Amino acid sequence: MEGSCWPLHPFVRLLHHTQRYRRQVGLASLYSILNKIFDLAPPVLIGIAVDLVVQRQDSLFSRWGLVSFEHQLLALALISFIIWSLESLFEYAYARAWRNLAQQIQHDLRLETYAHVQEMDMAFFEAHSSGLLLAILNDDINQLERFLDGGANEILQVTTTVIAIGGIFVVLAPTVAFWGMLPMPFILWGSLVFQRRLAPRYADVREKAGRLNERLANNITGIQTIKSFTAERYELERLRIDSDAYRQSNRRAIRLSAAYIPLIRFVILFGFTGTLVLGGFAAFNGHLDVGAYSTMVYLIQRLLWPLTRLGETLDQYQRAMASTQRVLNLLETPIAIRTGDRPLDPSRVKGEVAFRDVSFAYAGRSAVLKHINLTIPAGQTVAIVGSTGSGKSTLVKLLLRFYEVQQGCVCIDGIDIREYRLQDLRAAIGWVSQDVFLFHGTVFENIAYGTFDATLTEVIQAAKMAEAHEFIEQLPQGYDTVVGERGQKLSGGQRQRLAIARAILKDPPILVLDEATSAVDNETEAAIQRSLAHITEHRTTIAIAHRLSTIRHANCIYVMEQGNIVEQGTHEALLAQEGLYYSLWQLQTGQLID
């Protein structure tokens, strides 16, 4: 993702991506331009006021038919009131429009990017840390919002100022206008040079920010391990190194961006001095009205001094473009697993599962599964056992399409699962993983997760079937007890039983138990086994287990080793073969004889 090579500049890509906001952008831009036009009017009014006092009968208002000084002054006051009112009105309008637009784009872009991330396969998450993804979804999108909130308006208003004041100068005194506007090309050229040099520095800042976020997220998640190994100092030092790298990266960017304003001020000085001196001589010699000279002196400041803020705006712009690059790179990362278009109604699924000549390897590793052929009849319970790394869990991950098969196919009821709508496919499968994940919420919310319209009665019934109701009732608030992040307030066995209850409530035609009793004690295991005997009736069940006692009553047991199915049969038949299963059984029951 980070190393992708994209042909378009981030700003152009952002424009393409925000086409639906054209009307809001247009209105916000119009408000900014009108505000700046009315903001530039007071210096012109000052020049008119000077002429009004100095020339009187030859003033601008006298040429419009207002002869008396009083009428001219009142007209000037009325125009001033209108202009100030409109300037204030459009300032409110553009501030509201840009801020709302920034919030809307931020909101939509975050949701769109997160929705896209959810569609990625598990290999993507293995290649990108959660800290990096959080930095993009949060910090980078916020950086873009900050630029839209103020930087876009600043660029528009500076552009409007240059065009409006340049036009006024050319009309009033072309020669003076030339010297007054002379610094402009140098300022723009200097701005572009700074922009090009700042771009890679801010890209590096965003990369370092991602690494820092990654470190923090990883350490907070693993705080229990850090404490158990008394590694607080070690982790603090590693965080210090990452934080210092981020600080140094920012320092390099600041060193360059901070030089912009002082250098630009010297260039501005020449334009201001030229207008002051040349305009003064022209007014003294009668070639320029005193009011016009006053207007030009005021306007040259309004033109040139705000350009010093261009450095800050460019600073925001470069930060925003570095962030935009990362956000859009993530958003444009291709989705590896595409949904099919065939609907799958869970209530009509028979539940036959077949793996046909399936081979699979994780990225950069040798094959985990090698030409697997396995058929699970509808409604039966099969078990898959084997040593760690033999490929057991990979089989069910392919069934859920967490990964895509690289050879062969996986079928449900004779149809390749790639043809089914992905959401329908996963809705038909209940999965209890060995690595139970509970969300920060109540017991009720965690059991009802995925079956969001479940009633309390249904949740309690599922908890009873999972042998979880009794311990839930003993919690401080029962089903309203908050379990903490990742369920840290519960024991491993309690978390496991909530996960089983969650799958039971889903009532899927296919149930996958991936080490579902790995974290429970013997007494709880026996209780869960009793409930599973009822749960698995009339339902296709795939049970993956290390503890062979939990699957001895399966209709068929498949033994895997190094990505191959090496044995299959009932518990009794496999013991009679005295093969790998027989050895595992004796080892676990303590009957192995040297």
Side-chain angles (χ1 to χ4, degrees):
M1 181 179 65
E2 291 296 323
S4 301
C5 180
W6 303 94
L8 295 177
H9 188 276
F11 184 72
V12 178
R13 293 168 63 197
L14 181 64
L15 287 178
H16 286 312
H17 192 77
T18 55
Q19 286 294 308
R20 60 183 179 274
Y21 307 106
R22 280 182 299 181
R23 182 176 178 276
Q24 296 97 309
V25 171
L27 282 175
S29 300
L30 178 63
Y31 297 150
S32 293
I33 292 168
L34 290 174
N35 167 259
K36 180 49 63 177
I37 289 173
F38 287 114
D39 181 53
L40 293 174
V44 177
L45 295 176
I46 291 173
I48 295 173
V50 171
D51 279 344
L52 189 67
V53 174
V54 174
Q55 299 183 12
R56 297 195 179 185
Q57 301 305 318
D58 295 328
S59 68
L60 178 64
F61 285 108
S62 66
R63 297 170 206 159
W64 290 353
L66 296 175
V67 179
S68 71
F69 176 79
E70 291 79 6
H71 288 165
Q72 293 181 29
L73 193 60
L74 288 173
L76 181 62
L78 178 61
I79 293 173
S80 298
F81 179 81
I82 294 171
I83 287 175
W84 278 84
S85 299
L86 290 173
E87 189 272 334
S88 299
L89 175 65
F90 285 115
E91 182 172 4
Y92 168 77
Y94 85 67
R96 182 177 177 181
W98 280 116
R99 289 176 184 176
N100 284 338
L101 177 63
Q103 290 296 320
Q104 188 64 48
I105 291 177
Q106 177 197 47
H107 172 75
D108 292 346
L109 192 58
R110 180 174 287 120
L111 291 182
E112 187 177 352
T113 307
Y114 175 71
H116 184 79
V117 168
Q118 286 193 130
E119 298 296 318
M120 306 307 294
D121 64 343
M122 295 308 297
F124 171 85
F125 293 98
E126 291 167 0
H128 300 89
S129 73
S130 58
L132 173 65
L133 296 176
L134 283 172
I136 295 173
L137 288 166
N138 197 27
D139 294 346
D140 285 327
I141 291 179
N142 287 345
Q143 191 69 53
L144 176 60
E145 181 261 341
R146 281 190 287 271
F147 170 71
L148 291 173
D149 197 16
N153 169 71
E154 188 69 29
I155 290 173
L156 276 170
Q157 293 209 332
V158 166
T159 304
T160 304
T161 300
V162 171
I163 294 172
I165 294 180
I168 293 171
F169 270 41
V170 169
V171 171
L172 293 178
T175 304
V176 179
F178 171 77
W179 291 104
M181 303 292 287
L182 185 61
M184 290 300 303
F186 297 98
I187 293 173
L188 294 175
W189 172 79
S191 300
L192 292 175
V193 169
F194 267 85
Q195 178 185 332
R196 283 198 296 269
R197 293 191 177 183
L198 275 172
R201 299 193 184 201
Y202 279 124
D204 185 61
V205 168
R206 297 317 307 158
E207 181 184 347
K208 296 297 191 300
R211 290 182 185 176
L212 182 59
N213 236 335
E214 181 180 343
R215 175 75 63 196
L216 287 167
N218 189 62
N219 285 12
I220 290 172
T221 303
I223 191 65
Q224 186 170 297
T225 302
I226 292 172
K227 287 179 176 294
S228 70
F229 283 93
T230 61
E232 290 91 344
R233 277 190 174 184
Y234 173 74
E235 289 301 340
L236 183 60
E237 176 61 19
R238 293 213 294 177
L239 179 63
R240 187 197 66 77
I241 293 171
D242 286 341
S243 183
D244 189 61
Y246 175 63
R247 181 170 63 94
Q248 294 298 337
S249 182
N250 260 306
R251 183 173 285 179
R252 286 190 291 272
I254 291 168
R255 186 184 301 127
L256 183 61
S257 64
Y260 177 84
I261 292 178
L263 292 175
I264 292 300
R265 286 174 71 93
F266 278 104
V267 180
I268 288 172
L269 179 61
F270 289 103
F272 177 75
T273 305
T275 304
L276 187 68
V277 174
L278 296 176
F281 278 120
F284 181 77
N285 294 324
H287 302 307
L288 183 66
D289 291 339
V290 175
Y293 174 60
S294 302
T295 298
M296 293 183 72
V297 171
Y298 277 108
L299 284 179
I300 195 65
Q301 296 182 76
R302 300 294 297 273
L303 170 65
L304 296 177
W305 291 117
L307 291 176
T308 59
R309 295 202 304 271
L310 198 58
E312 182 181 343
T313 304
L314 286 174
D315 191 80
Q316 285 186 349
Y317 172 78
Q318 286 302 338
R319 289 178 182 269
M321 289 306 100
S323 294
T324 298
Q325 181 93 339
R326 284 157 54 92
V327 173
L328 294 182
N329 282 358
L330 176 57
L331 192 57
E332 294 167 10
T333 301
I335 296 173
I337 296 180
R338 294 287 181 180
T339 184
D341 53 14
R342 180 190 287 266
L344 181 66
D345 185 351
S347 64
R348 297 186 178 182
V349 173
K350 296 177 182 176
E352 181 190 78
V353 177
F355 294 83
R356 297 176 182 171
D357 194 33
V358 171
S359 295
F360 178 80
Y362 294 103
R365 293 162 57 184
S366 57
V368 179
L369 300 176
K370 305 169 186 175
H371 304 288
I372 296 295
N373 286 285
L374 167 62
T375 299
I376 304 169
Q380 288 200 9
T381 297
V382 303
I384 303 173
V385 302
S387 59
T388 300
S390 60
K392 308 183 300 296
S393 294
T394 301
L395 277 175
V396 297
K397 289 176 181 176
L398 293 178
L399 175 63
L400 284 155
R401 291 194 73 195
F402 289 164
Y403 300 90
E404 201 74 286
V405 293
Q406 294 157 352
Q407 180 180 322
C409 66
V410 182
C411 299
I412 291 180
D413 294 343
I415 305 296
D416 190 329
I417 60 173
R418 288 172 290 195
E419 296 184 23
Y420 291 125
R421 287 199 296 238
L422 197 54
Q423 198 165 14
D424 291 354
L425 169 70
R426 291 172 181 164
I429 302 171
W431 181 50
V432 182
S433 169
Q434 56 184 318
D435 183 20
V436 174
F437 187 92
L438 298 182
F439 294 89
H440 183 70
T442 65
V443 170
F444 175 88
E445 290 168 341
N446 272 282
I447 294 177
Y449 191 82
T451 314
F452 301 108
D453 58 349
T455 64
L456 178 60
T457 301
E458 292 168 334
V459 167
I460 291 174
Q461 181 61 29
K464 287 180 177 178
M465 294 181 70
E467 300 286 337
H469 178 69
E470 185 176 342
F471 90 78
I472 293 172
E473 287 285 276
Q474 295 173 358
L475 295 174
Q477 285 83 40
Y479 283 84
D480 292 325
T481 301
V482 175
V483 302
E485 189 174 2
R486 299 182 66 90
Q488 60 186 357
K489 294 183 180 180
L490 304 177
S491 69
Q494 290 172 334
R495 291 196 295 268
Q496 199 84 47
R497 280 180 277 176
L498 290 191
I500 293 171
R502 185 160 60 192
I504 292 170
L505 184 63
K506 186 179 181 181
D507 193 26
I510 300 171
L511 181 63
V512 175
L513 305 171
D514 188 356
E515 302 288 352
T517 59
S518 62
V520 299
D521 54 36
N522 291 333
E523 182 181 349
T524 305
E525 179 190 333
I528 291 176
Q529 287 303 313
R530 289 194 300 271
S531 64
L532 288 178
H534 301 290
I535 296 166
T536 57
E537 285 182 1
H538 312 299
R539 191 191 313 270
T540 303
T541 304
I542 304 172
I544 296 173
H546 280 298
R547 296 161 72 170
L548 304 184
S549 58
T550 63
I551 48 86
R552 59 186 299 179
H553 299 299
N555 297 106
C556 186
I557 300 171
Y558 294 88
V559 184
M560 295 192 67
E561 186 67 22
Q562 296 183 350
N564 296 295
I565 296 176
V566 294
E567 296 176 10
Q568 66 182 75
T570 63
H571 173 73
E572 292 75 15
L574 289 172
L575 288 180
Q577 291 180 25
E578 298 191 1
L580 180 59
Y581 184 85
Y582 175 79
S583 299
L584 292 171
W585 177 260
Q586 287 206 320
L587 180 65
Q588 290 190 16
T589 57
Q591 300 175 15
L592 187 62
I593 300 174
D594 293 333

